[in-house]
Amino acid sequence: APDHVLCWLVLLMVGGFALKYSARLYPDSMPGDVQLHLNRWNALVRGQHFIDAQHRGLPFPFPTGLYVVASPLTLLGPSIRDVFLLLSGLFEATGALLIYALLVRTAGSQRLGLVAAAVYTLTAGGVMTVWFAFFSHVSTQWYQLLLLVVLAAAWPRYGDGLTWWGIVVLFAQVALGHIGTFINMALFGVLIVPLLWLRAHTLQEKRAARDLLAAGATAAALV
């Protein structure tokens, strides 16, 4: 980003972190809400990798991807509660950069990218999400944004080995991070891959659609 845009992006990151996570630093801020994740993390480290959760009476597997990623950081000394708060704050703050990069890449507009990053950071929806400690949602959203940036930047060169495996890993991170996001992404993929193939103008673009399908199927098989 040019210097005059970069300073605004830094301000959005700092402001977003402060707006969404400063209250979380108070030890008694909604302790029961955070405790839900602590309980599930404790189940994971005791060996229960498949956590059966209940949502409106419907049992479903609660993804533990965030807990697996966060656990090694506790070896550095901080408690898992502090690790959750810090990681979520960093995911949310740097999400503005991903939004900016995605819009610049797809729309070719620095101004539109900056406006989108500001809307993402300052509107109420994101603040509500982080206040209720949806740590798994926040981290999964970050992985999904990074996946979209990679897909936009690499199109139609999905067949490159490093790019293809990066797409697989990000697909898997989304799937293992939040069950609702995984379902939405899978349904979207089923719709978008045939459309990409039908709208392809070159053989390379047709191969890219097939490579994307193969990456999604590989990640789904792993999950």
Side-chain angles (χ1 to χ4, degrees), residues 53-71:
Q54 295 283 336
H55 181 63
R56 298 178 184 176
L58 178 66
F60 69 96
F62 187 87
T64 55
L66 171 64
Y67 306 153
V68 174
V69 170
S71 292

Side-chain angles (χ1 to χ4, degrees), residues 23-45:
R24 282 283 181 194
L25 300 180
Y26 179 65
D28 294 325
S29 62
M30 299 182 70
D33 189 29
V34 180
Q35 190 63 42
L36 177 144
H37 292 281
L38 300 182
N39 292 342
R40 289 175 174 173
W41 178 81
N42 283 324
L44 172 72
V45 296

Side-chain angles (χ1 to χ4, degrees), residues 125-217:
V127 179
M128 292 165 62
T129 300
V130 297
W131 177 244
F132 286 100
F134 291 145
F135 298 148
S136 54
H137 171 89
V138 170
S139 62
T140 306
Q141 178 178 263
W142 191 89
Y143 292 127
Q144 190 173 37
L145 284 172
L146 181 57
L147 173 63
L148 291 174
V149 171
V150 170
L151 292 177
W155 173 263
R157 303 177 307 278
Y158 296 163
D160 174 71
L162 184 60
T163 301
W164 190 85
W165 279 109
I167 294 172
V168 170
V169 169
L170 289 172
F171 266 133
Q173 284 293 99
V174 172
L176 295 172
H178 192 277
I179 188 70
T181 308
F182 169 54
I183 294 172
N184 291 341
M185 186 180 65
L187 291 174
F188 183 73
V190 169
L191 295 173
I192 200 67
V193 169
L195 183 61
L196 286 174
W197 192 85
L198 290 172
R199 300 273 295 182
H201 298 293
T202 65
L203 289 176
Q204 186 182 26
E205 290 184 352
K206 285 186 179 294
R207 283 196 300 269
R210 292 196 298 266
D211 290 335
L212 182 59
L213 178 62

Side-chain angles (χ1 to χ4, degrees), residues 74-154:
T74 61
L75 299 176
L76 300 177
S79 69
I80 188 62
R81 182 187 190 279
D82 293 335
V83 169
F84 282 154
L85 295 176
L86 180 60
L87 277 183
S88 297
L90 292 176
F91 280 135
E92 190 67 11
T94 55
L97 295 182
L98 297 179
I99 290 284
Y100 166 80
L102 181 62
L103 267 293
V104 170
R105 179 65 183 180
T106 56
S109 171
Q110 298 277 346
R111 177 176 296 178
L112 185 59
L114 186 58
V115 169
V119 170
Y120 170 83
T121 302
L122 301 175
T123 52
V127 179
M128 292 165 62
T129 300
V130 297
W131 177 244
F132 286 100
F134 291 145
F135 298 148
S136 54
H137 171 89
V138 170
S139 62
T140 306
Q141 178 178 263
W142 191 89
Y143 292 127
Q144 190 173 37
L145 284 172
L146 181 57
L147 173 63
L148 291 174
V149 171
V150 170
L151 292 177

